[in-house]
Amino acid sequence: MAKLTVLTGITTTGTPHLGNYAGAIRPAVDASRRGDANSFYFLADYHALVKRQDPAAVHQSTLEIAAAWLAMGLDPSKVIFYRQSDIPEILELTWILTSVTAKGLMNRAHAYKASVQANQDAGNQDPDKGVMMSLFCYPILMAADILMFGTHQVPVGRDQKQHVEMARDIAQRFNHVYEELFVVPEAIIDDNTAVLSGLDGRKMSKSYDNTIPLFAPEKRLRKLIMKIKTNSLEPGEPKETEGSTLFEIYRAFATEQQTAALAQCYAEGIAWGEAKQLLFEFLNEMLSGPRDEYERLIADPGYIENVLKEGAVKAREIATPFTARVRHAVGIRPLG
Ligand code: TRP
Protein backbone atom coordinates (compact mmCIF):
# COMPACT_ATOMS: atom_id res chain seq x y z
CA MET A 1 0.00 0.00 0.00
CA ALA A 2 1.19 3.53 -0.74
CA LYS A 3 2.33 5.40 2.34
CA LEU A 4 0.16 8.08 3.85
CA THR A 5 1.46 11.62 3.85
CA VAL A 6 1.23 13.26 7.24
CA LEU A 7 2.09 16.92 7.79
CA THR A 8 2.02 19.38 10.62
CA GLY A 9 3.33 22.87 11.27
CA ILE A 10 4.53 24.61 14.40
CA THR A 11 4.16 28.36 14.68
CA THR A 12 7.44 29.92 15.76
CA THR A 13 6.29 32.00 18.68
CA GLY A 14 7.42 31.40 22.23
CA THR A 15 9.63 28.86 23.94
CA PRO A 16 8.73 25.16 23.75
CA HIS A 17 7.00 23.96 26.92
CA LEU A 18 5.91 20.67 28.48
CA GLY A 19 2.44 21.01 26.93
CA ASN A 20 3.97 21.27 23.44
CA TYR A 21 6.02 18.18 24.14
CA ALA A 22 3.08 16.06 25.30
CA GLY A 23 0.68 17.39 22.68
CA ALA A 24 2.78 17.71 19.55
CA ILE A 25 6.48 16.88 19.74
CA ARG A 26 6.27 13.46 21.39
CA PRO A 27 3.48 12.05 19.18
CA ALA A 28 5.26 13.35 16.09
CA VAL A 29 8.61 11.88 17.06
CA ASP A 30 6.96 8.54 17.88
CA ALA A 31 5.14 8.51 14.54
CA SER A 32 8.30 9.35 12.63
CA ARG A 33 10.09 6.43 14.30
CA ARG A 34 7.37 4.01 13.19
CA GLY A 35 8.23 5.04 9.63
CA ASP A 36 4.85 4.00 8.23
CA ALA A 37 4.12 7.44 6.78
CA ASN A 38 5.83 10.17 4.79
CA SER A 39 6.10 12.79 7.48
CA PHE A 40 6.50 16.51 7.00
CA TYR A 41 7.21 18.76 9.98
CA PHE A 42 7.84 22.42 9.48
CA LEU A 43 8.40 25.66 11.33
CA ALA A 44 5.58 28.01 10.36
CA ASP A 45 7.53 31.24 10.56
CA TYR A 46 5.24 33.16 8.20
CA HIS A 47 2.36 32.24 10.46
CA ALA A 48 4.37 33.61 13.37
CA LEU A 49 4.27 37.09 11.81
CA VAL A 50 0.52 37.15 12.29
CA LYS A 51 0.98 36.92 16.03
CA ARG A 52 4.32 38.59 16.72
CA GLN A 53 5.85 41.68 15.22
CA ASP A 54 9.00 41.33 17.19
CA PRO A 55 11.80 40.21 14.85
CA ALA A 56 14.21 39.14 17.57
CA ALA A 57 11.53 37.05 19.28
CA VAL A 58 10.46 35.30 16.08
CA HIS A 59 14.08 34.58 15.20
CA GLN A 60 14.89 33.22 18.67
CA SER A 61 11.73 31.13 18.78
CA THR A 62 12.57 29.55 15.42
CA LEU A 63 15.95 28.50 16.79
CA GLU A 64 14.50 27.19 20.06
CA ILE A 65 11.69 25.23 18.47
CA ALA A 66 13.97 23.62 15.89
CA ALA A 67 16.47 22.71 18.62
CA ALA A 68 13.71 21.31 20.83
CA TRP A 69 12.39 18.97 18.15
CA LEU A 70 15.87 17.72 17.37
CA ALA A 71 16.81 17.35 21.05
CA MET A 72 13.64 15.34 21.72
CA GLY A 73 14.65 12.86 19.07
CA LEU A 74 13.28 13.93 15.71
CA ASP A 75 15.52 12.28 13.14
CA PRO A 76 15.74 14.59 10.12
CA SER A 77 16.87 11.70 7.92
CA LYS A 78 13.53 9.93 8.49
CA VAL A 79 11.23 12.90 7.92
CA ILE A 80 11.15 16.14 5.96
CA PHE A 81 11.88 18.84 8.52
CA TYR A 82 11.98 22.36 7.11
CA ARG A 83 11.14 25.99 7.57
CA GLN A 84 8.10 27.35 5.74
CA SER A 85 9.89 30.50 4.56
CA ASP A 86 12.55 28.39 2.81
CA ILE A 87 9.90 27.15 0.38
CA PRO A 88 8.92 30.16 -1.77
CA GLU A 89 6.44 27.98 -3.67
CA ILE A 90 4.21 27.99 -0.58
CA LEU A 91 3.60 31.71 -0.98
CA GLU A 92 3.01 31.29 -4.69
CA LEU A 93 0.41 28.67 -3.99
CA THR A 94 -1.14 30.86 -1.29
CA TRP A 95 -1.89 33.57 -3.84
CA ILE A 96 -3.31 31.12 -6.33
CA LEU A 97 -5.55 29.69 -3.61
CA THR A 98 -6.83 33.12 -2.62
CA SER A 99 -8.54 33.17 -6.03
CA VAL A 100 -10.62 30.12 -5.23
CA THR A 101 -11.36 31.08 -1.61
CA ALA A 102 -14.58 32.91 -0.89
CA LYS A 103 -14.25 35.87 1.44
CA GLY A 104 -17.31 34.54 3.22
CA LEU A 105 -15.41 31.39 4.14
CA MET A 106 -12.70 33.47 5.81
CA ASN A 107 -15.33 35.58 7.59
CA ARG A 108 -16.27 32.43 9.48
CA ALA A 109 -12.79 31.67 10.84
CA HIS A 110 -12.80 31.49 14.65
CA ALA A 111 -9.72 33.66 15.15
CA TYR A 112 -11.06 36.41 12.91
CA LYS A 113 -14.51 36.23 14.49
CA ALA A 114 -12.98 36.53 17.93
CA SER A 115 -11.25 39.78 16.89
CA VAL A 116 -14.49 41.18 15.50
CA GLN A 117 -16.32 40.18 18.66
CA ALA A 118 -13.68 41.87 20.81
CA ASN A 119 -14.14 45.08 18.81
CA GLN A 120 -17.90 44.91 19.20
CA ASP A 121 -17.60 44.25 22.92
CA ALA A 122 -15.29 47.23 23.25
CA GLY A 123 -17.86 49.40 21.43
CA ASN A 124 -15.56 50.10 18.47
CA GLN A 125 -17.29 51.56 15.41
CA ASP A 126 -15.12 49.53 13.05
CA PRO A 127 -15.52 45.77 13.65
CA ASP A 128 -12.24 45.19 11.79
CA LYS A 129 -10.22 47.59 13.89
CA GLY A 130 -6.65 46.32 14.25
CA VAL A 131 -7.28 43.22 12.11
CA MET A 132 -4.39 42.59 9.75
CA MET A 133 -4.89 40.90 6.39
CA SER A 134 -2.48 38.21 7.56
CA LEU A 135 -4.91 37.25 10.32
CA PHE A 136 -7.78 37.23 7.87
CA CYS A 137 -5.89 35.13 5.29
CA TYR A 138 -4.15 32.87 7.84
CA PRO A 139 -6.24 29.83 6.83
CA ILE A 140 -5.25 30.23 3.17
CA LEU A 141 -1.54 30.15 3.98
CA MET A 142 -2.20 27.09 6.10
CA ALA A 143 -4.12 25.48 3.24
CA ALA A 144 -1.11 26.07 0.97
CA ASP A 145 1.17 24.41 3.56
CA ILE A 146 -1.05 21.37 3.57
CA LEU A 147 -2.06 21.10 -0.08
CA MET A 148 1.47 21.58 -1.44
CA PHE A 149 2.58 18.11 -0.38
CA GLY A 150 -0.45 15.94 -1.11
CA THR A 151 -1.14 15.63 2.59
CA HIS A 152 -3.68 13.01 3.67
CA GLN A 153 -3.59 13.58 7.39
CA VAL A 154 -2.93 16.64 9.53
CA PRO A 155 -2.43 15.84 13.22
CA VAL A 156 -3.47 18.97 15.11
CA GLY A 157 -5.07 20.13 18.30
CA ARG A 158 -8.81 20.72 18.38
CA ASP A 159 -8.30 24.47 17.97
CA GLN A 160 -6.89 23.90 14.47
CA LYS A 161 -9.66 21.66 13.18
CA GLN A 162 -11.55 24.44 11.46
CA HIS A 163 -8.43 25.47 9.57
CA VAL A 164 -8.01 21.98 8.15
CA GLU A 165 -11.66 21.95 7.17
CA MET A 166 -11.11 25.20 5.31
CA ALA A 167 -8.16 23.61 3.51
CA ARG A 168 -10.52 20.84 2.44
CA ASP A 169 -13.04 23.36 1.10
CA ILE A 170 -10.35 25.24 -0.77
CA ALA A 171 -8.92 22.02 -2.27
CA GLN A 172 -12.34 20.89 -3.42
CA ARG A 173 -13.09 24.25 -4.95
CA PHE A 174 -9.81 24.26 -6.90
CA ASN A 175 -10.30 20.67 -8.03
CA HIS A 176 -13.77 21.58 -9.26
CA VAL A 177 -12.84 24.81 -11.04
CA TYR A 178 -9.55 23.64 -12.56
CA GLU A 179 -8.13 20.12 -12.28
CA GLU A 180 -8.09 17.41 -9.64
CA LEU A 181 -4.62 18.34 -8.41
CA PHE A 182 -5.15 18.45 -4.68
CA VAL A 183 -5.53 15.66 -2.17
CA VAL A 184 -8.38 16.57 0.18
CA PRO A 185 -6.81 16.43 3.65
CA GLU A 186 -8.24 15.27 6.94
CA ALA A 187 -7.60 16.60 10.45
CA ILE A 188 -6.48 13.98 12.93
CA ILE A 189 -7.34 14.87 16.48
CA ASP A 190 -6.13 12.33 18.95
CA ASP A 191 -8.18 12.45 22.11
CA ASN A 192 -5.54 10.36 23.84
CA THR A 193 -2.85 12.98 23.51
CA ALA A 194 -2.58 14.73 26.79
CA VAL A 195 -3.64 18.34 27.00
CA LEU A 196 -1.68 19.56 30.00
CA SER A 197 -2.78 22.13 32.51
CA GLY A 198 -0.35 24.87 33.43
CA LEU A 199 0.80 26.39 36.71
CA ASP A 200 -2.55 28.05 37.40
CA GLY A 201 -4.66 25.02 36.45
CA ARG A 202 -5.82 26.43 33.10
CA LYS A 203 -4.63 24.82 29.85
CA MET A 204 -0.85 25.18 29.57
CA SER A 205 -0.40 27.83 26.94
CA LYS A 206 1.95 30.66 26.14
CA SER A 207 -1.09 32.95 25.94
CA TYR A 208 -1.83 32.35 29.63
CA ASP A 209 1.80 32.68 30.68
CA ASN A 210 1.46 29.55 32.81
CA THR A 211 3.90 27.23 31.08
CA ILE A 212 6.76 25.06 32.23
CA PRO A 213 9.49 25.45 29.58
CA LEU A 214 10.73 22.09 28.38
CA PHE A 215 14.35 22.99 28.92
CA ALA A 216 14.22 25.21 31.96
CA PRO A 217 17.49 24.80 33.90
CA GLU A 218 17.18 22.46 36.86
CA LYS A 219 16.75 25.17 39.51
CA ARG A 220 14.12 27.00 37.56
CA LEU A 221 12.28 23.77 36.78
CA ARG A 222 12.09 23.04 40.48
CA LYS A 223 10.90 26.55 41.28
CA LEU A 224 8.15 26.39 38.67
CA ILE A 225 6.93 23.01 39.83
CA MET A 226 6.72 24.32 43.38
CA LYS A 227 4.38 27.03 42.03
CA ILE A 228 1.82 24.59 40.59
CA LYS A 229 -1.57 25.32 42.09
CA THR A 230 -2.84 22.77 44.61
CA ASN A 231 -5.44 23.05 47.36
CA SER A 232 -5.32 23.53 51.10
CA LEU A 233 -5.44 19.86 52.13
CA GLU A 234 -2.92 19.08 54.87
CA PRO A 235 -0.33 16.29 54.85
CA GLY A 236 -2.07 13.06 55.88
CA GLU A 237 -5.38 14.01 54.32
CA PRO A 238 -6.26 11.87 51.27
CA LYS A 239 -6.16 13.78 47.99
CA GLU A 240 -8.03 13.49 44.72
CA THR A 241 -6.00 12.70 41.62
CA GLU A 242 -8.84 13.94 39.42
CA GLY A 243 -8.31 17.60 38.61
CA SER A 244 -4.84 17.70 40.18
CA THR A 245 -2.49 19.45 37.77
CA LEU A 246 0.52 17.83 39.44
CA PHE A 247 -0.92 14.38 38.94
CA GLU A 248 -1.93 15.08 35.39
CA ILE A 249 1.53 16.22 34.38
CA TYR A 250 3.11 13.20 36.02
CA ARG A 251 0.67 10.83 34.34
CA ALA A 252 1.35 12.33 30.91
CA PHE A 253 4.95 11.12 31.08
CA ALA A 254 5.03 8.24 33.55
CA THR A 255 4.36 4.54 32.99
CA GLU A 256 1.05 3.08 34.14
CA GLN A 257 2.77 1.49 37.09
CA GLN A 258 4.38 4.74 38.21
CA THR A 259 1.06 6.51 37.83
CA ALA A 260 -0.72 3.92 39.96
CA ALA A 261 1.97 4.30 42.61
CA LEU A 262 1.46 8.05 42.76
CA ALA A 263 -2.33 7.57 42.95
CA GLN A 264 -1.68 5.35 45.96
CA CYS A 265 0.42 8.10 47.59
CA TYR A 266 -2.44 10.56 46.99
CA ALA A 267 -4.88 8.19 48.69
CA GLU A 268 -2.50 7.90 51.62
CA GLY A 269 -2.32 11.65 52.02
CA ILE A 270 1.08 12.58 50.58
CA ALA A 271 1.96 16.21 51.39
CA TRP A 272 1.74 18.57 48.41
CA GLY A 273 5.35 19.61 48.91
CA GLU A 274 6.44 16.00 48.73
CA ALA A 275 4.36 15.33 45.60
CA LYS A 276 5.95 18.36 43.97
CA GLN A 277 9.42 17.17 44.84
CA LEU A 278 8.57 13.79 43.33
CA LEU A 279 7.32 15.38 40.11
CA PHE A 280 10.42 17.55 39.94
CA GLU A 281 12.77 14.60 40.31
CA PHE A 282 10.87 12.62 37.74
CA LEU A 283 10.82 15.38 35.11
CA ASN A 284 14.37 16.39 35.78
CA GLU A 285 15.53 12.84 35.21
CA MET A 286 13.50 12.57 32.00
CA LEU A 287 14.70 15.91 30.64
CA SER A 288 18.31 16.16 31.72
CA GLY A 289 19.73 14.25 28.72
CA PRO A 290 17.64 16.14 26.14
CA ARG A 291 18.40 19.41 27.96
CA ASP A 292 22.15 18.91 27.46
CA GLU A 293 21.55 18.13 23.81
CA TYR A 294 19.31 21.19 23.48
CA GLU A 295 21.95 23.44 24.94
CA ARG A 296 24.55 21.97 22.62
CA LEU A 297 22.29 22.61 19.63
CA ILE A 298 21.34 26.16 20.66
CA ALA A 299 25.04 26.96 20.86
CA ASP A 300 25.48 25.75 17.28
CA PRO A 301 22.81 27.53 15.21
CA GLY A 302 24.80 26.95 12.02
CA TYR A 303 24.22 23.23 12.42
CA ILE A 304 20.46 23.73 12.79
CA GLU A 305 20.45 26.05 9.81
CA ASN A 306 22.06 23.29 7.74
CA VAL A 307 19.54 20.69 8.90
CA LEU A 308 16.70 23.00 7.85
CA LYS A 309 18.35 23.82 4.53
CA GLU A 310 18.69 20.11 3.77
CA GLY A 311 15.03 19.68 4.66
CA ALA A 312 14.13 22.53 2.32
CA VAL A 313 15.96 20.83 -0.55
CA LYS A 314 13.88 17.69 -0.01
CA ALA A 315 10.64 19.67 0.32
CA ARG A 316 11.32 21.66 -2.84
CA GLU A 317 11.94 18.49 -4.82
CA ILE A 318 8.18 18.10 -4.41
CA ALA A 319 7.05 21.72 -4.21
CA THR A 320 8.79 23.03 -7.34
CA PRO A 321 7.36 20.57 -9.90
CA PHE A 322 3.99 20.52 -8.16
CA THR A 323 3.71 24.31 -8.27
CA ALA A 324 4.55 24.19 -11.97
CA ARG A 325 1.54 21.91 -12.48
CA VAL A 326 -0.69 24.26 -10.49
CA ARG A 327 0.47 27.26 -12.49
CA HIS A 328 -0.18 25.37 -15.69
CA ALA A 329 -3.64 24.36 -14.50
CA VAL A 330 -4.68 27.99 -13.89
CA GLY A 331 -3.28 29.20 -17.22
CA ILE A 332 0.05 30.62 -16.18
CA ARG A 333 2.08 28.95 -18.91
CA PRO A 334 4.99 29.68 -21.23
CA LEU A 335 3.84 31.43 -24.39
CA GLY A 336 6.00 29.60 -26.85
N1 TRP B 1 -1.79 27.12 12.62
C1 TRP B 1 -1.06 26.07 13.29
C2 TRP B 1 -0.97 26.41 14.79
O1 TRP B 1 -0.97 27.56 15.16
C3 TRP B 1 0.34 25.91 12.73
C4 TRP B 1 0.31 25.54 11.29
C5 TRP B 1 0.65 26.32 10.23
C6 TRP B 1 -0.08 24.28 10.78
N2 TRP B 1 0.50 25.62 9.08
C7 TRP B 1 0.04 24.37 9.37
C8 TRP B 1 -0.53 23.08 11.37
C9 TRP B 1 -0.27 23.30 8.52
C10 TRP B 1 -0.85 22.02 10.52
C11 TRP B 1 -0.73 22.12 9.12
O2 TRP B 1 -0.88 25.50 15.58
Side-chain angles (χ1 to χ4, degrees):
M1 219 176 74
K3 278 191 180 182
L4 280 184
T5 295
V6 177
L7 171 145
T8 201
I10 311 97
T11 307
T12 53
T13 48
T15 293
H17 56 72
L18 272 180
N20 298 140
Y21 178 53
I25 306 177
R26 185 177 54 180
V29 171
D30 288 351
S32 72
R33 290 217 173 110
R34 285 198 302 273
D36 51 2
N38 294 318
S39 305
F40 292 75
Y41 298 109
F42 69 95
L43 304 164
D45 53 349
Y46 280 133
H47 278 107
L49 303 186
V50 177
K51 292 176 192 155
R52 294 287 318 246
Q53 290 176 340
D54 176 341
V58 169
H59 183 242
Q60 180 65 19
S61 173
T62 305
L63 175 66
E64 290 181 5
I65 293 177
W69 281 68
L70 295 170
M72 287 327 267
L74 187 76
D75 177 350
S77 72
K78 292 214 166 80
V79 301
I80 303 190
F81 182 52
Y82 59 101
R83 173 172 48 197
Q84 184 184 39
S85 61
D86 284 335
I87 320 296
E89 291 85 353
I90 290 173
L91 287 188
E92 239 179 298
L93 181 58
T94 301
W95 182 256
I96 293 174
L97 296 179
T98 57
S99 304
V100 288
T101 304
K103 176 171 178 290
L105 182 68
M106 296 300 99
N107 286 342
R108 291 194 283 279
H110 298 317
Y112 170 63
K113 277 173 57 179
S115 298
V116 169
Q117 188 64 48
N119 278 327
Q120 276 162 355
D121 293 348
N124 284 319
Q125 289 284 314
D126 179 2
D128 284 333
K129 185 167 180 228
V131 175
M132 294 297 133
M133 285 307 291
S134 60
L135 173 74
F136 192 66
C137 298
Y138 186 107
I140 312 180
L141 176 58
M142 186 158 154
D145 290 329
I146 296 169
L147 301 181
M148 179 64 86
F149 298 102
T151 306
H152 300 101
Q153 297 188 339
V154 189
V156 280
R158 207 163 277 290
D159 61 320
Q160 296 296 315
K161 184 165 187 256
Q162 188 196 32
H163 290 145
V164 181
E165 279 161 6
M166 290 177 158
R168 290 173 68 87
D169 285 354
I170 296 169
Q172 280 162 339
R173 179 84 194 141
F174 183 99
N175 288 350
H176 177 74
V177 173
Y178 295 108
E179 269 178 55
E180 287 271 338
L181 286 186
F182 294 127
V183 172
V184 179
E186 188 191 354
I188 301 292
I189 292 153
D190 182 353
D191 287 317
N192 292 323
T193 24
V195 178
L196 293 193
S197 301
L199 301 177
D200 57 359
R202 291 186 292 173
K203 179 184 166 188
M204 192 182 290
S205 161
K206 54 199 164 204
S207 27
Y208 295 143
D209 198 20
N210 64 357
T211 66
I212 301 178
L214 198 46
F215 300 115
E218 192 168 317
K219 268 198 183 146
R220 174 143 175 76
L221 179 64
R222 186 162 189 285
K223 230 174 147 177
L224 285 170
I225 290 171
M226 294 300 155
K227 279 196 194 162
I228 295 175
K229 204 174 142 203
T230 54
N231 57 28
S232 58
L233 289 176
E234 298 286 335
E237 290 187 78
K239 297 171 175 68
E240 291 282 340
T241 54
E242 203 51 46
S244 161
T245 301
L246 267 180
F247 187 80
E248 192 190 278
I249 296 178
Y250 186 82
R251 180 175 54 194
F253 303 107
T255 63
E256 253 174 60
Q257 248 176 349
Q258 289 170 317
T259 307
L262 184 62
Q264 183 62 29
C265 296
Y266 266 56
E268 288 166 3
I270 188 174
W272 286 126
E274 224 181 298
K276 287 179 172 179
Q277 180 63 24
L278 213 136
L279 178 65
F280 162 69
E281 281 166 13
F282 174 77
L283 289 178
N284 193 47
E285 156 100 29
M286 170 179 100
L287 293 172
S288 66
R291 188 195 293 136
D292 291 347
E293 177 64 5
Y294 175 80
E295 264 149 27
R296 201 185 62 72
L297 286 164
I298 288 283
D300 190 2
Y303 169 80
I304 300 181
E305 183 66 27
N306 275 336
V307 168
L308 293 174
K309 282 270 144 58
E310 283 169 20
V313 168
K314 290 195 266 177
R316 293 190 76 191
E317 278 168 13
I318 301 164
T320 308
F322 183 70
T323 304
R325 289 177 63 197
V326 175
R327 289 167 59 116
H328 184 90
V330 300
I332 296 180
R333 304 171 183 170
L335 295 179

